[in-house]
Amino acid sequence: MFRRAFWFTAGAAAGVWATTKVNRQLKKLTPESLAAQAADKAVEAGHRLKDFALDVKAGMTQREDELNDALGLHQDPDRPDNVTALPGPRRLRAIEHHQTTHRSSFSYNRNEDH
């Protein structure tokens, strides 16, 4: 008698447990639940992309500062933060080189190719 009652109770408990599990899984598969899960994943991916972009920007800024120090480029207080100026002598040489290379007029005749 007790054996039958035990197995009946165990079977009923297993049935309730299985029904609960199945209902939970079915609720997860409803369109509203799937949409909410997709939205959560999209927000999470957006946060990851934002963190990645901030890390890249920090690395770029650090590397740019290293290169500016190595090349002797220093920030000019009169310029905006994102623009660097060449030091005096280099800047003059760059300007002189630019003027000398563009003074010569070169004409190209397409008929000479034929």
Side-chain angles (χ1 to χ4, degrees), residues 21-63:
K21 283 288 206 180
V22 168
N23 285 335
R24 283 184 189 164
Q25 291 299 324
L26 288 175
K27 285 181 183 177
K28 286 183 182 178
L29 296 176
T30 61
E32 295 84 13
S33 177
L34 291 175
Q37 289 175 10
D40 290 342
K41 296 283 184 179
V43 168
E44 185 179 324
H47 288 301
R48 286 183 187 163
L49 283 173
K50 180 181 175 185
D51 291 341
F52 175 72
L54 291 174
D55 288 344
V56 168
K57 185 176 179 181
M60 286 173 37
T61 303
Q62 178 184 359
R63 183 63 180 150

